[in-house]
């Protein structure tokens, strides 16, 4: 079968490899769609934490069950997505049901070779299906689940003012689920094209371009209250640190984005607000199920997001262009 490996930062290589053999507890999936996400782009750049090379990327996946045990709930030919967080099942986090932050977690396409190949072998327990959904929708389940998990961590309630910093694909998913939860969403980004997408496609009422005036603009927009929930989806150190000043008293700050360095804040300001700071990592099966329900009901339209399409053979020649904001890429989708 064909496989695309990221040999080193900035270098892809197509190669011929052996198709996986069916083993107990696993299924062979014929990959049909691969979504390109920020993790893939950062890996190509050489800026992704917890990463080593060479690595076969790809964890936003949809495919068809090709081989599976006869006693499974899945049938050959079923269209599925893959929950790409492989957990140990026994550590302290797994015992509490928090498999998304397992101590020994292995993320498909990050810690181990992923789905940029024609066939993969994955645990049956990671497969999720929903009748009526198409391949593009299934491939978009994982990034939306990241957003759904962050919103669930934040405990967004109807009427909450929710500031989402970063209007990339993950941030847009955060906005979608914050709206579904009843939040009043404010989008903050430096990219005017992305902000136009938020306003015109996602119907986000308030969009702000990041500047030296951002704090004052948020203060005026919220009548001096600031934001009940702030969610960072940038992974940018400067943006993360600036986000602390946008919280309301009693507010919550959730870090969905990840950066490599330390985080520092002025303790008296943080303390007087009785602020809550938390991270949000990956997603759970419940988040995926929420996403599939939103897709099936039409609350989220993936056609709004997929701006670039390419066949598997064209990934190598097109990938670097997706790093350039001028291309206007929101979600690139690969078809095999």
């Amino acid at each position: 079968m064909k496989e695309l490996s990221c040999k080193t930062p900035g270098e892809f290589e197509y190669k011929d490899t052996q198709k996986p053999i069916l083993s107990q507890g696993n299924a062979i999936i014929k990959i049909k769609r691969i979504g390109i996400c920020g993790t893939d782009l950062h890996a190509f750049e050489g800026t992704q934490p917890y990463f080593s090379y060479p690595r076969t990327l790809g964890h936003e996946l949809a495919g068809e069950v090709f081989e599976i045990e006869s006693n499974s709930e899945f049938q050959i030919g079923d269209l599925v997505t893959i929950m790409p967080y492989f957990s140990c099942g026994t550590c302290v986090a797994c015992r509490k049901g928090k498999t998304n932050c397992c101590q020994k977690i292995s993320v498909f396409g990050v810690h181990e070779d992923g789905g940029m190949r024609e066939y993969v072998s994955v645990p049956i327990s990671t497969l999720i299906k929903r009748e009526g959904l198409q391949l593009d929708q299934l491939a978009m389940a994982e990034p939306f689940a990241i957003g759904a998990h962050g919103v669930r961590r934040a405990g967004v309630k109807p009427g909450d003012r929710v500031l989402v910093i970063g209007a990339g694909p993950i941030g847009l998913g955060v906005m979608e689920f914050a709206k579904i939860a009843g939040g009043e969403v404010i989008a903050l980004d430096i990219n005017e094209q992305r902000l136009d997408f938020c306003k015109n496609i996602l119907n986000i009422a308030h969009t702000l371009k990041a500047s030296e005036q951002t704090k004052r603009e948020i203060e005026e927009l919220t009548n001096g209250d600031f934001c009940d929930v702030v969610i960072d989806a940038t992974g940018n150190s400067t943006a993360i640190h600036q986000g602390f000043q946008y919280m309301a008293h009693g507010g919550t700050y959730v870090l969905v984005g990840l950066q490599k360095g330390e985080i520092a804040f002025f303790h008296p300001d943080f303390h007087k607000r009785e602020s809550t700071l938390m991270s949000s990592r990956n997603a759970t099966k419940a988040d995926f199920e929420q996403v599939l329900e939103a897709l099936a009901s039409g609350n989220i339209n993936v056609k709004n997001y997929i701006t670039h399409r390419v066949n598997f053979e064209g990934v190598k020649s097109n990938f670097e262009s997706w790093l350039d904001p001028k291309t206007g890429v929101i979600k690139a989708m690969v078809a095999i």
Side-chain angles (χ1 to χ4, degrees):
M1 66 175 181
K2 290 291 185 183
E3 183 172 345
L4 180 61
S5 174
C6 188
K7 292 179 63 178
T8 61
E11 184 179 2
F12 276 123
E13 177 187 46
Y14 287 102
K15 57 185 181 180
D16 290 314
T17 58
Q18 292 295 318
K19 192 182 112 185
I21 298 172
L22 186 65
S23 58
Q24 187 174 4
N26 280 22
I28 307 297
I29 306 300
K30 182 176 177 61
I31 297 298
K32 295 287 191 178
R33 295 288 188 277
I34 307 164
I36 305 300
C37 86
T39 298
D40 301 318
L41 298 173
H42 297 323
F44 184 77
E45 289 180 308
T47 59
Q48 177 63 29
Y50 315 130
F51 210 84
S52 61
Y53 303 85
R55 178 67 67 226
T56 299
L57 306 178
H59 63 273
E60 297 181 2
L61 304 169
E64 180 181 300
V65 177
F66 187 75
E67 293 183 65
I68 199 165
E69 299 171 357
S70 59
N71 60 349
S72 169
E73 64 179 287
F74 297 92
Q75 304 295 321
I76 291 173
D78 281 348
L79 299 184
V80 296
T81 187
I82 299 168
M83 193 165 63
Y85 324 119
F86 301 165
S87 55
C88 72
T90 59
C91 74
V92 59
C94 288
R95 295 197 305 270
K96 294 177 180 178
K98 294 177 67 67
T99 55
N100 59 298
C101 59
C102 166
Q103 284 181 310
K104 301 176 183 178
I105 199 165
S106 182
V107 179
F108 203 50
V110 179
H111 305 112
E112 62 180 86
D113 287 341
M116 282 197 182
R117 40 187 163 163
E118 292 180 279
Y119 298 89
V120 298
S121 174
V122 295
I124 295 172
S125 60
T126 66
L127 301 180
I128 303 177
K129 66 178 180 178
R130 174 69 184 250
E131 295 298 331
L133 293 186
Q134 304 302 309
L135 289 167
D136 285 349
Q137 294 172 302
L138 291 167
M140 289 288 290
E142 194 273 343
F144 284 129
I146 298 287
H149 188 73
V151 169
R152 185 155 62 88
R153 289 278 286 156
V156 174
K157 304 181 298 298
D160 280 351
R161 292 189 175 102
V162 182
L163 174 67
V164 181
I165 308 173
I170 298 299
L172 296 174
V174 170
M175 295 178 205
E176 292 269 34
F177 283 94
K179 284 177 58 182
I180 289 171
E184 180 184 333
V185 178
I186 304 168
L188 176 64
D189 201 282
I190 60 174
N191 187 316
E192 291 184 356
Q193 188 175 10
R194 289 284 177 87
L195 291 173
D196 286 342
F197 181 90
C198 293
K199 182 177 181 179
N200 299 323
I201 304 300
L202 299 190
N203 297 315
I204 303 299
H206 307 294
T207 58
L208 300 175
K209 184 176 181 180
S211 71
E212 294 181 356
Q213 305 302 316
T214 297
K215 182 178 179 181
R216 179 181 59 78
E217 291 173 338
I218 292 175
E219 184 176 20
E220 292 178 355
L221 187 61
T222 61
N223 297 316
D225 288 343
F226 290 93
C227 298
D228 305 290
V229 175
V230 177
I231 302 179
D232 176 83
T234 67
N236 177 277
S237 178
T238 299
I240 288 171
H241 282 88
Q242 289 175 340
F244 285 93
Q245 63 186 320
Y246 308 140
M247 275 193 296
H249 280 245
T252 298
Y253 192 5
V254 180
L255 303 180
V256 176
L258 173 65
Q259 53 96 29
K260 286 186 172 181
E262 296 180 349
I263 296 173
F265 50 84
F266 188 58
H267 193 179
D269 279 348
F270 186 83
H271 192 88
K272 73 182 182 182
R273 291 182 173 91
E274 197 176 53
S275 306
T276 299
L277 174 64
M278 62 177 70
S279 62
S280 177
R281 188 180 187 195
N282 300 325
T284 65
K285 189 171 183 178
D287 299 313
F288 273 78
E289 290 172 346
Q290 182 187 7
V291 168
L292 296 186
E293 174 60 32
L295 291 169
S297 66
N299 283 336
I300 296 178
N301 184 355
V302 300
K303 292 180 180 179
N304 292 333
Y305 290 85
I306 301 173
T307 54
H308 294 64
R309 291 183 181 274
V310 67
N311 291 329
F312 187 53
E313 296 77 11
V315 175
K316 181 178 179 179
S317 58
N318 284 275
F319 197 94
E320 190 169 3
S321 70
W322 299 331
L323 295 165
D324 185 354
K326 294 179 182 178
T327 63
V329 64
I330 292 176
K331 178 61 63 178
M333 186 65 69
V334 179
I336 299 184

